[in-house]
Each structure stands twice: as structure tokens, then as C-alpha cells.
Amino acid sequence: MDTRSLLEDSEATEQNGVTGEERALLEEEEEILSETVTSLRKQLEKRTELLESEDRRSRELTAELVAASRDEDKQMLASDEAVSHALKTSHLGESKSLDRLLEKPYFARFVIEEEQNGRTTSFQYKLGHSSNPECRIIDWRKSPLAKIYYEYQEDDEYSEVIQGREREGVLTVRNPVQIGGGELRQVTNRHGTFQRKDGEWIRATSRATGGIKSVLPLITREQFQTITEDAKTAILIQGIAGSGKTTVALHRLAWLLHERNSESSPEACAVIVRTEVLARFIRHTLSAIEIEDVPVYTYTQWREKVVRRLSPTVSLEEQTHGERGTLPKGFTVLLFSEQFFELFEKELRSGDTKNTFWELLHEVLKEASEKNLFQALGGDIKRYTDYIAELAHGETVPEVLGDCYLRYLMHRETLNTGPLRPPVRFEHLVIDELQDYALLSLSCLMSAVKESSALTLVGDVGQALSDDYRFIGWQRLQEVWNIDIGEQAKFFTLQVSHRSSLPIMQLASAVAERPKVAEGHQGRTPIWFHRADEQDAVGSLMNWLEKAIERYPDAITAVLCRDHESAREVYEYLKPTFGGLVRLGTRYSFSFEEGIVVAPIDAVKGLEFTNVVIWNPSQANYPKSEPTAKNRMYVAMTRAEENLCLVGWGRASSLLPSRRSKLVRVYDYRDEQLEENEK
């Protein structure tokens, strides 16, 4: 081989950051997928032939049945026809399953080695959403072998009892993959993560891009154990931002919906979230893990649905002003307090079932007044009572009283008809962002299941954003609904963020005054541009966004603001420069396309972005004295996966670290601006 050939071979060994050895492993993955697809296509062809043959046979049997004159012949032909139709249905179902497998046959491949009869034998398996023995594809929800993939790492020795037989060996290969349209798009192996782009394999330079990402291959041992907990056990999950709380909850539901794991059906389950944005995201996620027909509601949507069913003539309408009264100051604080909940539940159960809703409320407020329970809340019971009296006519209930009215209707329905029926009652209910619900709201939701074991509850106390109430806490929650941890329920704590880099989590935890984070993937230290005025801050924001878009063209970059008003203002600043790349996001309207989204923090709970900018983290916007300020800042920071930037002016929030802190790189231009002004 001449010098030129050696040079060409050397260049070929490392192209696009991929060495020759790594490329050989990637080509092996491609070959394995190609063999799998070929086998599936042959199976589909055979199944299609059987389907067509059985279809012809069933038609012939139907014709013979119509033409038959003797009863004995008709009975025999009818029996044969029924069998033929059953076979045709079976072939059709198998064909549809094979069609789905051809699109995405599996999402991970693993190899185990075991000693058998003095010889080392390798076994290869592929994890998918449904099984196919011919291709050695196993269903992650039912195959005992899935446990080895999820609970062990590459090169780990395992010892497990599988289908009554003890198996020992070594997990030698554990490769998550992404497949779309029957083509290999991404592979993660012991050498790193590789993506196929423009027909070539390249080493992945970022962890995430916009859109719905498959997380099934990445579920940890602890998460898998949570997901596969006994079906008759309620699951309570507390976890830091990005720890996979919602991921675990949705896959728990997917696991339950397999016929071998529980008797629940998709239509009789539901996922309840706070915002329509998160509802859309979760619908896409459920579809990505091949869970169809599970309703996903915002809490408000579900409440209105049940009210319409139980009380068709009454509507819930937002009403703070009007001819029939003005919402008294502090009324929402009263309604969402634990004291009000206890009085309401007591009156609901002991009062006359013939009482109207308004009479019930009057009795609750009367008892509250007699006991002086709301003095600490600054509540004026007389004003509340007068307000209720003015509303007690017509067929409209103010939205602020929606939880009270819903709880009243559900209680009355139970007394009149026995157990609640769908859509009021669910076989299983997943409640996300639990910390954002008042006690009265939770009472409605938890009354919507047959028993407490039919619940998966997910939340993080440190991400509560409501100014009207505080989450009662996990311990109190267990007491209120008599959920016995260990007997009826399991409590899991997830403490490692799989979303945000370690530097981002360390800054966010310091701001929120949470325990120091020690685990997580490495990344860049967050950056902070502190400008002299708003105009200069806008300039820094635009410069940083331009670099982010250039480096991450396929990602979503979020600019997060204190409220909707400031978000709209920033959007107007950016629109002339970025045009169609920038969008305004709200709790009701949100796009998951690549580019820049400007949104209030409340609208992005539960979402994640490659890059995040927090706009103007000033003392005025995030005062330490405000109960939810540190939570709001924590939520905003932990939406970022790779890069976090703070841009502001004036006096910074006292929640932020000093300029000398190693948690953030500070570029303070205020002194520089003062010097420029003096010149």
C-alpha cells in the first residue's frame, strides 16, 4: 500500500468525529436493523397472504351458508364461517402489529452472556413496544428479560430468577437506539452517542433538540422499579426538576395498560395536568410510547366535563364583577385554605342532602363565622356570606367556586346512584404537578377513582407557584386520604436531574435554598449579563440568542419572563430581528418547533429546552420576601438542558448569588457604562 493509500485510510478512520472502530460498530447496528426489517417484511407478506386466503374462504362459506337448505348444513357452515372470521380478525391484527413494528421495530438492543454446559453462550434481545419472537424483539412491559436491560449497566454481572429459573451472566451490550421509518437515526453505545445526518454518521454534539424525545431506552433502575410496582399500589413521586417524575408516571400508566399487568383500559384512565400546553406535550408523549385513547385533560377541562354531565343546566363562568356581586378581597385564599376544606367536607357529609349548593355554602360560612376561623386569613365572613347570597339565583356558578360545586355534585351523585360512573370515576388516574393543587381540588380528583390504589401522584413542593395557597405536603396528604405508605402506596423520591446539566442544577438549587446537587452530567457554567439599562440588556439578549441559534439550529431556545405582559414586550423587541424564528408562548398556545419561544414562566411548567434565557431577574420581579419567588426562579432555571443565561439590569434579585460566586459567570457592564457616561 503506498503512502497516499495510507493517508486516505488514516483519514477514513476518523471522519466527522467517528473512528474506524466506532463506524464498524454503527454499521453492525445498521446490519442488525436491516435483518430485522427484512424478517418483518417477510412475516407481513406471509400474514397478508393468509389474510387474503382466509378472506376468500370466509366469503365462500358465507355464500354456501346462504345457499344451504338443510339445517344441519347451515349449522356446520355457520360454525366454519365463525372460525374463519375469527382467523381473519387475528391475521388482520397481526398485520397491523407488523406494520407498526416496521416503522419502529425496537428502541434498544442488548446482549447477555451466560455459561451453559461449560460454554459461554450469547443471547441478543431487542426491546420494543410489542414482541416478535422471530426477530427476538421483546415487549418492555411484560418480558422478564427487560429487567436485565433496565436494572443493570454494560459489563455488570446479573443474577435473576426469570420465569422460575435462576439465570446468571453478564450484560455485554446495552445500546439505546432511535429508529424512524425503519431507518437507524441514532445509536448510543460505550463510545458515545452518534447521529445519522445527510447519510453520514456523526458524533452527537448536543444532548437534545426540539420535539418529543424517546425516553424509554434511558429509564434508570430506580425508575423502572417504580414503573413496575404492583398494580394494586398507589404511587407517590416527589422529585427535583428534570428527575423524570412525569416520565415515570406515564410509563407506569403504559405498564398498567398491558393486559398482563392490570385490567385497566385506556378509555377508563386519564392524565390530569395544569395547562393545555403540558396536555399537548403529554398527548404527543403517550402517542410516542404507543399509548392511544387515554384522555389527557387540564384540571379545568375535566372539571367542566363532569359538571356538564352531573348538572347540565348549570355553567361555570369566570365572574369577579357584575350585577350580582363583586368578588371580596381574600375570597380565593379562603376557598383554598385547609380550614375551609375541613368545614366543607364536614358539612357535606353531615348536612341535609336536600340542601342546595348555596345553602351548603351558607352553612359552611356560618360555622366558620361562629368559630372565628378566618381572622388570620384577613377574611371578612360577612362580606363572603353577602356575596354568596347575591349569587344564589340563576344557573351560573362563578369559576372561583367551581371546585366547591364539583365536590358537591360528586358527593350528591355518590349518594343517589352509588359508585360514580365514567367519566366521573376512572380505573386509574395520573395527577401531574400535584403541588399546584389546593386541597379542595385534590379532594375532587381523588374522589374520581374507585380506590386510592388507582392513583399515580407526581409533584415537587419546590416548584409550587400559587399565591393563593400552599401545598399541604406529602405527609398531610397521606393523612387526609388515609393512604398507608407500605400497605396501599409506595413513596418514591427522585433526586438526580437527567435534564439540566450539573452547573445549572447547582445554581438553581442555591437560588431555591435546596440541598446541594452533587450528581448530573457536565456542562457549561450559567452566564449572567448585568447591564446598566433595559436597552443595553436587549442588545445582550439578541447577541446571545444569535449565537444559540447558530450553534443549535434544530433546538428550541426559550426566553422566560416573570409574566405574560413582560413576555409580550420582549417578543416585540425580538420580532423585527428574528422574524418567524421567534414565537410568543402562553398557557393556551405554544409551538414546539425549533427557534425561539418567549413565554411567562407559568406557561412552561413541565417543559424543557436546550437553551434558556431568564429575562430581567431583578429584585422587583423576584423579591426574596415573596413566598413563590424562589420557586419561580428555580422552575425557570431548570427548564434548561444545556445552556442557561440571565440578562437583566438595575438591582438584581437578592436570591441570586454574588458576582464572585463560582456558580455563575458574571459580566457586569454597569461600571463600564458609568465610565462611558463620565467621558
Side-chain angles (χ1 to χ4, degrees):
M1 183 181 291
D2 61 22
T3 305
R4 182 177 177 182
S5 298
L6 285 171
L7 178 61
E8 289 174 346
D9 184 62
S10 174
E11 289 174 343
T13 61
E14 186 156 351
Q15 183 178 349
N16 298 322
V18 182
T19 67
E21 178 187 359
E22 292 165 350
R23 187 174 293 105
L25 290 174
L26 294 169
E27 288 172 354
E28 180 185 3
E29 288 290 350
E30 288 182 306
E31 181 63 27
I32 290 170
L33 175 60
S34 176
E35 292 172 357
T36 302
V37 169
T38 299
S39 174
L40 290 171
R41 283 176 177 159
K42 288 181 179 178
Q43 291 179 53
L44 181 59
E45 289 173 5
K46 183 177 180 180
R47 188 64 61 175
T48 302
E49 290 175 3
L50 290 171
L51 176 62
E52 291 173 350
S53 174
E54 203 60 55
D55 182 57
R56 287 193 298 270
R57 181 168 179 267
S58 66
R59 289 171 182 269
E60 291 169 0
L61 287 169
T62 300
E64 290 179 28
L65 178 62
V66 171
S69 57
R70 296 174 57 203
D71 289 342
E72 295 88 345
D73 293 339
K74 287 184 177 181
Q75 289 177 6
M76 185 177 296
L77 288 168
S79 176
D80 290 345
E81 184 193 39
V83 170
S84 181
H85 279 296
L87 285 171
K88 189 170 72 171
T89 300
S90 175
H91 293 326
L92 182 60
E94 287 293 330
S95 296
K96 290 180 178 178
S97 178
L98 287 166
D99 271 330
R100 289 194 298 269
L101 278 173
L102 278 168
E103 177 68 22
K104 293 182 180 179
Y106 52 94
F107 55 79
R109 183 179 71 87
F110 66 102
V111 178
I112 58 176
E113 288 185 355
E114 297 181 353
E115 292 288 332
Q116 293 189 355
N117 301 321
R119 297 178 57 188
T120 300
T121 305
S122 294
F123 301 94
Q124 174 184 258
Y125 300 98
K126 301 150 194 170
L127 273 182
H129 295 285
S130 58
S131 62
N132 187 277
E134 288 187 41
C135 294
R136 302 190 72 80
I137 300 173
I138 60 176
D139 190 326
W140 76 272
R141 296 170 296 176
K142 70 176 182 180
S143 174
L145 287 164
K147 183 185 182 75
I148 296 177
Y149 175 86
Y150 284 116
E151 298 196 6
Y152 295 89
Q153 295 301 311
E154 207 165 89
D155 297 328
D156 281 355
E157 296 181 357
Y158 62 84
S159 178
E160 296 286 346
V161 176
I162 296 176
Q163 293 180 329
R165 182 167 69 91
E166 186 172 349
R167 297 184 63 167
E168 296 181 348
V170 178
L171 178 60
T172 59
V173 174
R174 186 182 186 276
N175 292 353
V177 300
Q178 289 184 15
I179 299 170
E183 295 182 354
L184 196 60
R185 296 180 178 177
Q186 181 171 299
V187 176
T188 299
N189 58 29
R190 64 176 65 227
H191 296 286
T193 297
F194 304 88
Q195 296 170 340
R196 193 160 185 81
K197 190 172 184 178
D198 299 328
E200 296 289 337
W201 283 106
I202 62 172
R203 186 177 294 275
T205 56
S206 64
R207 296 179 62 252
T209 58
I212 306 299
K213 297 176 284 296
S214 174
V215 294
L216 262 175
L218 310 177
I219 289 172
T220 66
R221 178 191 184 109
E222 294 75 14
Q223 291 173 337
F224 184 70
Q225 290 172 345
T226 306
I227 290 165
T228 56
E229 187 62 52
D230 185 86
K232 294 183 178 180
T233 303
I235 299 296
L236 289 72
I237 305 171
Q238 157 71 32
I240 65 171
S243 59
K245 300 182 298 296
T246 304
T247 293
V248 169
L250 296 180
H251 287 86
R252 164 73 171 169
L253 180 60
W255 183 83
L256 287 169
L257 289 175
H258 194 280
E259 67 271 12
R260 292 193 181 183
N261 300 327
S262 80
E263 296 180 357
S264 299
S265 61
E267 300 84 356
C269 299
V271 180
I272 307 293
V273 298
R274 294 301 298 178
T275 68
E276 178 56 31
V277 172
L278 190 53
R280 285 178 52 210
F281 187 84
I282 285 180
R283 289 185 193 110
H284 283 298
T285 303
L286 288 173
S287 178
I289 60 176
E290 299 193 5
I291 298 300
E292 306 294 342
D293 302 323
V294 173
V296 181
Y297 304 112
T298 66
Y299 175 73
T300 300
Q301 289 169 346
W302 171 76
R303 184 177 63 187
E304 291 177 350
K305 184 180 182 70
V306 178
V307 168
R308 282 198 303 271
R309 179 181 180 276
L310 299 181
S311 185
T313 62
V314 174
S315 62
L316 298 178
E317 294 182 4
E318 186 173 349
Q319 180 183 356
T320 55
H321 301 283
E323 295 180 358
R324 291 188 287 135
T326 301
L327 184 65
K329 183 179 180 181
F331 194 50
T332 53
V333 176
L334 163 71
L335 292 174
F336 295 138
S337 68
E338 190 169 348
Q339 299 98 315
F340 181 86
F341 166 77
E342 291 173 347
L343 286 179
F344 189 86
E345 288 292 304
K346 176 185 173 184
E347 192 65 38
L348 197 64
R349 289 179 168 82
S350 63
D352 187 344
T353 57
K354 295 181 180 179
N355 280 350
T356 67
F357 171 65
W358 303 108
E359 289 169 340
L360 173 67
L361 273 184
H362 180 78
E363 290 300 318
V364 173
L365 293 176
K366 179 181 177 183
E367 186 172 352
S369 179
E370 291 172 354
K371 294 185 177 181
N372 295 319
L373 288 180
F374 300 111
Q375 288 180 349
L377 299 175
D380 184 341
I381 296 297
K382 185 178 185 308
R383 286 195 65 196
Y384 298 158
T385 305
D386 291 345
Y387 175 66
I388 295 300
E390 292 177 11
L391 292 173
H393 304 283
E395 295 183 341
T396 299
V397 175
E399 197 272 341
V400 71
L401 293 172
D403 287 353
C404 297
Y405 189 59
L406 175 61
R407 188 74 189 91
Y408 164 78
L409 291 176
M410 294 177 78
H411 179 72
R412 190 175 64 176
E413 177 80 354
T414 302
L415 293 176
N416 292 341
T417 64
L420 296 169
R421 294 165 294 180
V424 180
R425 188 189 66 184
F426 297 103
E427 291 177 359
H428 195 88
L429 191 60
V430 176
I431 306 174
D432 196 24
E433 302 289 359
L434 193 73
Q435 74 282 347
D436 287 338
Y437 290 91
L439 197 49
L440 188 56
S441 308
L442 286 174
S443 72
C444 295
L445 285 167
M446 298 180 82
S447 297
V449 290
K450 185 177 180 180
E451 48 193 30
S452 59
S453 63
L455 289 166
T456 299
L457 309 177
V458 184
D460 178 13
V461 178
Q463 296 187 60
L465 300 183
S466 175
D467 295 321
D468 289 331
Y469 59 88
R470 292 187 180 181
F471 177 55
I472 61 172
W474 295 98
Q475 184 61 43
R476 179 68 176 127
L477 183 69
Q478 297 166 40
E479 294 170 359
V480 170
W481 280 279
N482 195 28
I483 299 175
D484 185 6
I485 297 296
E487 292 288 334
Q488 304 161 290
K490 290 287 181 70
F491 184 85
F492 295 90
T493 301
L494 304 179
Q495 297 179 321
V496 177
S497 176
H498 304 287
R499 175 198 300 147
S500 303
S501 67
L502 182 58
I504 292 172
M505 287 305 302
Q506 288 176 332
L507 174 61
S509 298
V511 166
E513 298 177 326
R514 303 181 82 163
K516 185 178 179 180
V517 177
E519 295 183 63
H521 67 276
Q522 294 302 313
R524 298 179 185 83
T525 302
I527 191 169
W528 180 6
F529 296 106
H530 203 168
R531 305 300 307 227
D533 54 41
E534 184 176 10
Q535 183 177 350
D536 288 342
V538 171
S540 291
L541 173 64
M542 289 187 174
N543 289 337
W544 194 86
L545 289 174
E546 286 173 352
K547 293 176 182 177
I549 292 296
E550 180 180 354
R551 182 159 188 171
Y552 301 91
D554 299 325
I556 304 177
T557 296
V559 182
L560 303 183
C561 306
R562 162 75 191 199
D563 51 37
H564 181 75
E565 183 179 346
S566 57
R568 177 166 288 282
E569 190 176 72
V570 172
Y571 170 73
E572 294 298 335
Y573 290 153
L574 300 179
K575 190 175 180 182
T577 301
F578 294 98
L581 277 177
V582 64
R583 306 174 301 278
L584 182 65
T586 70
R587 289 167 61 91
Y588 309 101
S589 175
F590 208 93
S591 170
F592 293 101
E593 298 175 359
E594 65 273 6
I596 303 168
V597 60
V598 185
I601 295 169
D602 287 3
V604 297
K605 289 283 293 291
L607 305 183
E608 55 191 42
F609 310 96
T610 304
N611 312 303
V612 166
V613 181
I614 299 179
W615 177 248
N616 196 22
S618 65
Q619 180 65 14
N621 284 336
Y622 303 92
K624 196 170 185 177
S625 58
E626 183 180 300
T628 60
K630 65 181 181 181
N631 289 1
R632 201 172 298 276
M633 188 87 78
Y634 177 82
V635 168
M637 290 180 171
T638 55
R639 299 312 95 195
E641 297 176 307
E642 294 292 324
N643 301 293
L644 174 63
C645 175
L646 287 72
V647 180
W649 67 95
R651 184 184 175 192
S653 170
S654 56
L655 292 168
L656 295 172
S658 69
R659 291 190 292 177
R660 295 179 294 278
S661 171
K662 294 182 180 180
L663 294 173
V664 61
R665 294 171 290 154
V666 180
Y667 291 84
D668 195 334
Y669 295 92
R670 291 175 298 171
D671 296 338
E672 187 179 297
Q673 186 64 42
L674 286 172
E675 291 176 6
E676 185 66 28
N677 291 341
E678 288 176 1
K679 291 179 183 180

